[in-house]
């Protein structure tokens, strides 16, 4: 059974588009493994430094409409080659979410109230995430920072269930 989770990168912005995830010229010019150093190089968020902030992160927690913009089926590759296996957001661009699943990456849609609590409680801490699929079919995102721990329910669909069952 595949597991999802790890160290969290909080990106406090809505509408992060595919050009900000990975510039299109790299998708045409570079092989998949060489995309690593270009992830989020065009993303502008105050206090965010892609060269220093991405290393070791496995989960992104961000705002609405992640992956919007030009449809690029290979944009999730830049996440994958950097070790990122999960993105948590209230909404995703439809095609980007589909491409995440096609690359065996988890795209979790969480309600805005839970997302606001995640940012308020954990964004300024070294946070770990565990994505849990319960036997009864329910699912949760569990965030842990030191002795602080909170869980957030989300609806799991058939595509997400299938990802957990992959090796």
């Amino acid at each position: 059974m595949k597991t999802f989770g790890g160290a969290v990168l909080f990106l406090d912005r809505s509408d992060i588009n595919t050009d900000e995830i990975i510039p299109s010229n790299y998708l045409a010019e570079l092989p998949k493994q060489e995309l690593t150093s270009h992830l989020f190089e065009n993303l502008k968020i105050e206090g965010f430094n892609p060269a220093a902030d991405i290393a070791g992160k496995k989960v992104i927690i961000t705002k609405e409409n992640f992956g919007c913009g030009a449809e690029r089926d290979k944009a999730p590759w830049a996440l994958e080659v950097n070790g990122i296996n999960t993105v948590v957001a209230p909404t995703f661009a439809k095609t980007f979410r589909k491409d995440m699943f096609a690359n065996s990456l988890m795209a979790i849609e969480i309600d805005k109230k839970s997302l606001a609590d995640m940012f308020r409680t954990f964004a300024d801490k070294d946070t770990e995430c565990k994505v849990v699929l319960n036997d009864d079919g329910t699912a949760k995102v569990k965030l842990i920072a030191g002795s602080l721990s909170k869980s957030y329910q989300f609806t799991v669909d058939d595509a997400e269930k299938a990802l957990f069952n992959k090796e």
Side-chain angles (χ1 to χ4, degrees):
M1 180 171 269
K2 189 167 181 170
T3 59
F4 295 91
V8 177
L9 171 63
F10 286 89
L11 296 177
D12 192 4
R13 208 188 93 199
S14 298
D15 303 314
I16 295 174
N17 67 57
T18 54
D19 280 329
E20 292 171 312
I21 295 168
I22 186 76
S24 63
N25 60 307
Y26 295 127
L27 293 174
E29 295 176 9
L30 298 176
K32 183 177 182 178
Q33 292 303 319
E34 292 182 27
L35 297 175
T36 306
S37 62
H38 302 290
L39 179 66
F40 296 129
E41 74 179 23
N42 291 339
L43 181 62
K44 304 296 184 228
I45 299 176
E46 187 175 329
F48 174 67
N49 177 354
D53 296 342
I54 296 171
K57 301 301 192 288
K58 303 290 182 196
V59 176
I60 294 171
I61 297 177
T62 190
K63 303 287 177 87
E64 298 83 11
N65 204 26
F66 187 80
C68 60
E71 292 183 17
R72 297 214 174 86
D73 61 343
K74 296 176 183 166
W77 283 5
L79 300 174
E80 180 186 6
V81 297
N82 277 280
I84 295 167
N85 60 54
T86 305
V87 178
V88 178
T91 58
F92 291 84
K94 184 178 178 180
T95 301
F96 186 83
R97 188 167 194 262
K98 175 185 68 76
D99 293 338
M100 290 277 291
F101 290 123
N103 286 281
S104 298
L105 303 174
M106 185 68 72
I108 297 172
E109 292 187 337
I110 198 103
D111 65 90
K112 289 182 182 182
K113 182 178 177 185
S114 294
L115 184 80
D117 189 70
M118 289 175 177
F119 270 90
R120 183 174 47 255
T121 308
F122 294 98
D124 62 344
K125 299 171 179 61
D126 287 334
T127 303
E128 290 287 320
C129 173
K130 292 182 183 178
V131 181
V132 180
L133 177 64
N134 299 314
D135 292 336
D136 65 0
T138 61
K140 65 182 174 183
V141 172
K142 182 176 184 178
L143 298 182
I144 306 145
S147 61
L148 179 61
S149 173
K150 285 181 109 173
S151 293
Y152 305 88
Q153 298 288 331
F154 69 96
T155 303
V156 63
D157 62 23
D158 290 339
E160 291 159 337
K161 287 179 189 174
L163 283 179
F164 277 102
N165 293 320
K166 283 188 171 186
E167 291 300 320

